[in-house]
Amino acid sequence: MATATKAYAAQTNTSPLAPWNFERREPKPHDVQFDILYCGVCHSDLHQIRDEWFPGIFPMVPGHEIVGRVTRVGDHVKKYKVGDLVGVGCMVDSCRTCENCKDGLEQYCENGSSQTYNGTEQDKVTPTYGGYSNIMVCHEDFVLRISEKLDLAAVAPLLCAGITTYSPLRHWKIGKGHKVAVLGLGGLGHMAVKFAAAFGAEVTMLSHSPSKQKDAERLGAHHFVLTSDKEQLKAVRNSFHFIIDTVSAPHDYNTYLGLLKTNGVQICVGVPPTPLQIHGFSLLGNRRSIAGSGIGGIPETQEMLDFCAEHNIVSDIELIDIKDINTAYERMLKGDVRYRFVIDMATL
Ligand code: NAP
Ligand code: ZN
Ligand code: ZN
């Protein structure tokens, strides 16, 4: 029997989020069902309900920073039992047979991973619905184990903001001896600062919000540069081995490429609605590169969660009532998040 599920959904790309009911599937033999306790609010949720990237599937229930407690498991589930704390991030399935899936890079599945919402199951037909809801059902292979040691609400953003910044820092082996700049202090940015500092890098925050300087330092940044101040930007030209670019809005990539040292890499995790405009000279000068990175695979997501439990790393959050979600979006759009909204699902 399918399970009646309460949610908040956008009915069209111009409508606000409002209550909506749907059914989660009956758990299959390898499925885990859990009560969602908290769900983080990612800027990708906003991009998608407004069709800023591509036409979405509506009604859309956003949310891919999902944590909760297991209430049912299918007959063949081995990894989890009723009562366990678990999480689901940006994916709920993938083909499992392609080279990337076999390498634990399910986010780059050659046959298309199933996004947690605004996507389809592997049948390519059944729509997926995300975590702004009270119940989740997911194959155990895409469910993550969550430590009981950490503040659960503050763990939720690790499922996207956390892994999306942890993964490139690990891939490019960023740590001691590296000067790394984080561009944009929001949900992803504040996790990038925490991880880069934890890995031993010298961290500079590049922000267009003067009010965030104190917080940047508290989060672990060693330096703060106000990007709206041309003199401050000039002073850090040719300075960084890496830039982690988390900005959600269009911005001038050429300016930031100029802040890299020779062979430096600007790693884009932010996805503004419009394509990047990059001049060839910005790259060939000092042999710089620009790269991208998408979330992280399931094994690395578990590694990141375990790392956070061991080092006591969580997100800095503002816990909100689900009825305030549309106001939260307005604030996020203005860069006014300190530093991740998390929905308390008890308010649904
Ligand atoms: P967020 O919390 O809204 O943070 C974005 C930050 O960008 C803001 O806090 C602000 O920082 C800066 N910013 C915003 N508007 C700006 C503007 N007009 N000019 C300059 N800076 C501006 O967003 P988020 O949830 O961290 O997500 C950031 C981006 O990453 C989004 O595009 C999202 O879709 C994307 N994303 C990608 C992946 C992936 O797999 N690669 C995963 C998750 C999210 P300051 O105030 O400090 O300047
Ligand atoms: Zn996200
Ligand atoms: Zn695959």
Side-chain angles (χ1 to χ4, degrees):
M1 219 181 66
T3 312
T5 302
K6 293 199 283 184
Y8 261 52
Q11 297 297 326
T12 72
N13 65 0
T14 52
S15 45
L17 287 175
W20 184 64
N21 297 325
F22 68 102
E23 291 189 333
R24 292 283 185 199
R25 66 169 180 263
E26 171 73 11
K28 293 187 273 190
H30 282 283
D31 282 345
V32 172
Q33 178 173 327
F34 62 95
D35 284 344
I36 299 177
L37 298 173
Y38 301 101
C39 183
V41 178
C42 181
H43 206 114
S44 305
D45 301 346
L46 184 51
H47 288 308
Q48 292 185 84
I49 63 157
R50 301 216 170 142
D51 277 358
E52 287 180 355
W53 291 339
F54 46 79
I57 302 168
F58 292 90
M60 192 188 299
V61 177
H64 57 206
E65 295 184 334
I66 308 168
V67 293
R69 219 174 261 286
V70 175
T71 52
R72 287 172 80 185
V73 292
D75 291 343
H76 296 167
V77 169
K78 292 217 171 59
K79 297 180 191 161
Y80 301 100
K81 59 179 190 320
V82 170
D84 285 350
L85 273 186
V86 294
V88 166
C90 301
M91 300 176 284
V92 290
D93 210 348
S94 71
C95 85
R96 299 145 188 262
T97 56
C98 75
E99 204 175 310
N100 286 336
C101 283
K102 284 186 181 152
D103 288 345
L105 296 169
E106 301 88 350
Q107 77 275 34
Y108 305 131
C109 173
E110 290 165 23
N111 299 303
S113 56
S114 294
Q115 302 302 294
T116 300
Y117 69 88
N118 195 21
T120 58
E121 300 288 350
Q122 285 296 296
D123 63 9
K124 309 291 177 195
V125 178
T126 312
T128 53
Y129 299 113
Y132 297 6
S133 58
N134 63 342
I135 290 164
M136 189 69 195
V137 175
C138 182
H139 191 288
E140 61 176 329
D141 290 349
F142 283 77
V143 173
L144 287 308
R145 184 170 296 285
I146 305 280
S147 164
E148 298 273 352
K149 284 201 312 203
L150 301 172
D151 171 14
L152 188 62
V155 164
L158 300 178
L159 275 306
C160 175
I163 184 58
T164 302
T165 49
Y166 181 95
S167 183
L169 289 166
R170 286 305 199 206
H171 176 77
W172 274 275
K173 300 184 169 52
I174 298 172
K176 277 201 178 59
H178 286 137
K179 291 187 178 189
V180 58
V182 176
L183 179 57
L185 187 50
L188 269 56
H190 92 291
M191 291 311 306
V193 169
K194 288 188 185 205
F195 285 134
F199 299 165
E202 184 178 332
V203 184
T204 299
M205 186 68 232
L206 304 172
S207 171
H208 83 312
S209 307
S211 61
K212 293 180 183 172
Q213 177 160 3
K214 273 221 166 61
D215 284 342
E217 286 159 6
R218 179 178 53 76
L219 293 164
H222 305 96
H223 315 281
F224 184 90
V225 171
L226 187 61
T227 54
S228 53
D229 181 337
K230 286 210 166 63
E231 288 307 308
Q232 288 193 34
L233 270 189
K234 212 164 134 193
V236 291
R237 281 189 65 81
N238 306 304
S239 293
F240 305 114
H241 296 98
F242 297 96
I243 296 173
I244 309 284
D245 180 346
T246 76
V247 173
S248 50
H251 53 289
D252 181 15
Y253 290 85
N254 302 291
T255 300
Y256 297 107
L257 282 164
L259 308 188
L260 291 170
K261 287 175 179 291
T262 301
N263 299 325
V265 188
Q266 178 167 350
I267 305 159
C268 296
V269 288
V271 191
T274 47
L276 285 60
Q277 290 208 322
I278 299 159
H279 202 290
F281 285 124
S282 303
L283 298 173
L284 71 83
N286 300 57
R287 202 163 50 204
R288 295 167 174 127
S289 6
I290 191 154
S293 184
I295 49 171
I298 295 298
E300 193 174 46
T301 306
Q302 190 62 62
E303 175 194 307
M304 177 274 310
L305 288 166
D306 296 345
F307 179 88
C308 289
E310 194 182 326
H311 297 269
N312 208 20
I313 294 174
V314 288
S315 175
D316 287 30
I317 65 159
E318 285 187 49
L319 197 61
I320 62 165
D321 190 303
I322 198 160
K323 74 173 167 24
D324 297 327
I325 184 64
N326 295 298
T327 317
Y329 280 165
E330 289 313 315
R331 283 186 52 197
M332 184 160 68
L333 208 50
K334 289 188 277 189
D336 177 22
V337 190
R338 304 275 143 96
Y339 280 90
R340 194 61 140 186
F341 292 117
V342 171
I343 303 166
D344 180 353
M345 218 48 76
T347 64
L348 179 62

